[in-house]
Amino acid sequence: MVAVQMQDDLRRVLDDDGKVLLGAKVPQVSDEMLHKIFDTMMLTRIMDDRMMRLQRQGRLGFYMKSIGEEASHFAVAPLRPSDWVFPSYREQGAWFWRGYSVTDFVNQMFGNEKDPVKGRQMPVHHSANWLNLVSISSPVGTQIPQAVGAAQAAKIMGKDDVSMVYFGEGTSSTGEFHVGMNFAGVWKSPCIFVCRNNGWAISVPREKQTAAKSFAAKAVGYGMPGIRVDGNDILAILQVTNEAIERARAGEGPTLIEALTYRVQGHSSSDDPSVYRDPKEPEIWERRDPLARLRGYLKQRGLWSEAAEGEISERHNQAITDALAAVDTLGPPPVESMFDDVYEHMPWHIAEQKAWVMSQERTKSPHYHH
Amino acid sequence: MPVISYREALNQAMREEMERDPDVFIMGEEVGHYNGAYKVTQGLLNHFSERRVIDAPIAEMGFAGIGVGAAMVGLRPIIEFMTFNFSLVAIDQIVNNAAKIFQMSGGQFNVPIVFRGPGGPAVQVGSQHSQSLESFYANVPGLKVVMPSTAYDAKGLLKTAIRDDNPVVFIEGETLYNSTWEVPTTEYLIPFGKADVKRVGQHVTLIAWSKMVWTCLDAAKELAKDGIEAEVVDVRSLRPLDHDTICSSVAKTGRCVIVEVGWPVAGYGAEVAYQVQRACLDQLDAPIERVTSDDVPMPYAKNLEDEVQPQIKDVIAAVKRALYLA
């Protein structure tokens, strides 16, 4: 199998080496922002690499890498902090961009006493209300109508905030995708749909998800623009998301963005892609690596040096090492905490289960007790 | 005290809560221009606006999810299902999302949302419109489940549901919308987890909720003619359950008949029976009786539909068994 060819309608700014394509319009991005994106993309890749190694060592139960897809994470970069982001499970860069710390990230992987979600969620299912980043849900697609709900909430509250929702191309086959897109189209919701088309939904290739010409083409049926963008081209990503955000804020409604990219490695630590796809396919995509292309662009602009990249790499590696060292001093979440947050106020039957469990040293309560 | 319908009581509850709190809005199929399939939202669109009374495209999965999203970012949606039978289309949003997001996010995002609409059998609408799904929802930690039987309870419980910071499954009785009850003009709320003794008696305790409360009250009238005084306990709130009111009634009467219109297997009545036997085994003078629908999807033909559901005579027969009179 050969990788899908780039198509004519694909929005691109950079070529595969990071050079600006002839006649391409370069979005206005400050040098500071470019530096920050490069820095955060580096962190994302380093974190992925370190966490997957821990998984392979048996220290983590599960991990999901995003290598090769990182540029699409920065569709969030032009958003305001008050805008809401409904992530899928493969946008680590979006979390770091919004300020999610290395420490919180690592503690969530271990589900320990400092885990922001208190040991209740699988690894990479983060939640950060303080960053307007919404809890990740495992059934794919449920976040799509929810994001439309947040967008409508902004309208109801008279704010001009927008929401952005991520999902993979496989999720576009779900009912949730259809209803979310349809409602947003009907209501002109200020919502930006980012479809990360990475070619594979675990072992199911993109051509088995849809007979449509592209995923962006689906937008037509919902009465909204569908834009196909090179998902490994950070400048093109920033350009199309800027346009979509502007439209949404101006009350002109939603946009579907299909970011064409590629899942270079397995779906998760539990997956082995060598059994279902040609190993040459990822090699082709490695030559379009989003980090290398951004590096190439920065080099041409005189904004990159080996020493600076070395410093970034060292800083992030050190932060992860420090966070991991701290993990060794942390305990698991306290047993009594598992009864919290089921309800705002604990009802009697949960309070009794808790009292029983805490008094019985790990024996199971005989149903609940009165 | 004015006597009003169950429908009007629900309408008043929403109207008052929407007046009180600008974060409350209602969304569903036909809730606006059509005033609701059962006219529960009558006049709300005119009184408020399209911004807060929102007619949704026909997709429960869509407006349930949109409600969950809006609740996560600070609003208090009321989602109307035309019938709870259709909530099954949205159950991933209710069970996998609304019920779990507060816990999964480590207490960061609460989901103050009300899913409301009619449930239980109406009259000759077939198997897909006649289900009692409370046992499904009552099984899920993170949800609250309430089922009022009277206009008074409907208003007080719905106001509490709208102010609650957790997701609430609020199942109305489809055949109760025209039923009437005294409802005060002054504001009141009914807390969750409080059952209500609808009739006092000393010989047997009948435990029921929603439409079956009325069946039990009718059965109690018949039984009184034979000198049997039944106490009728209306559960009202299935999750959380009022253990104390139920068990003290059974401790007093020593006999317990649980009546539900849902299916028997793994039905909510089995949970009530477990709680009763645990608390009252020494006071029970007879095995706990359950009266339920038959374990079949609801048929359409009137005679079959009546046959499937618990009737007054079935309740009377169960009471007589519990009293060893049969």
Side-chain angles (χ1 to χ4, degrees), chain B residues 287-303:
Chain B
I288 298 167
E289 289 283 340
R290 284 181 73 202
V291 183
T292 70
S293 279
D294 291 326
D295 199 20
V296 296
M298 185 65 79
Y300 166 77
K302 187 77 187 102
N303 66 318

Side-chain angles (χ1 to χ4, degrees), chain A residues 84 86 116-118 120-121 125 127-130 132-137 139-143 145-150 152-158 175-176 179-180 182-183 186-187 338 340-345 347-350 366-370, chain B residues 22-23 25 27 51-52 54-59 61-63 65-70 72-75 92-93 96-99 101-110 140-144 165-167 239-244 271 274-275 278-279:
Chain A
W84 284 92
F86 285 71
V117 297
K118 308 181 187 174
R120 298 189 186 142
Q121 272 275 46
H125 289 58
S127 198
N129 197 351
W130 69 96
N132 282 26
L133 274 158
V134 168
S135 188
I136 293 174
S137 172
V140 296
T142 54
Q143 76 277 18
Q146 290 167 8
V148 178
Q152 284 302 114
K155 278 171 81 169
I156 291 169
M157 293 189 270
E176 306 271 3
V179 296
N182 189 51
F183 277 66
V186 172
W187 290 340
M338 74 183 189
D340 296 336
D341 309 322
V342 182
Y343 296 96
E344 282 277 344
H345 303 287
W348 67 265
H349 69 277
I350 296 183
H367 195 7
Y368 49 85
H369 207 64
H370 195 77
Chain B
D23 289 342
F25 72 98
M27 178 166 50
R51 202 169 58 88
R52 295 178 67 199
I54 304 170
D55 278 322
I58 302 174
M61 179 199 279
F63 54 82
I66 281 160
V68 170
M72 285 168 87
V73 303
L75 294 185
D92 197 20
Q93 287 290 349
N96 260 329
N97 286 264
I101 285 168
F102 189 54
Q103 188 262 7
M104 290 194 310
S105 67
Q108 293 181 40
F109 289 95
N110 64 336
V140 181
L143 296 179
K144 294 188 177 180
D165 286 330
N166 306 280
R239 177 181 264 274
L241 176 69
D242 180 355
H243 183 280
D244 295 348
E271 168 67 18
Y274 173 80
Q275 295 296 339
R278 232 188 125 67

Side-chain angles (χ1 to χ4, degrees), chain A residues 29 32 58 70 76 78 103 112 135 138 153 206 214 227 263 284 307 312 343 347 357 365 367:
Chain A
V29 189
E32 190 194 350
E70 295 96 333
V76 302
T103 312
N112 61 28
S135 188
S138 299
R206 77 186 83 186
S214 69
I227 303 173
R263 202 193 70 213
I284 294 166
I312 294 169
Y343 296 96
V357 168
S365 67
H367 195 7

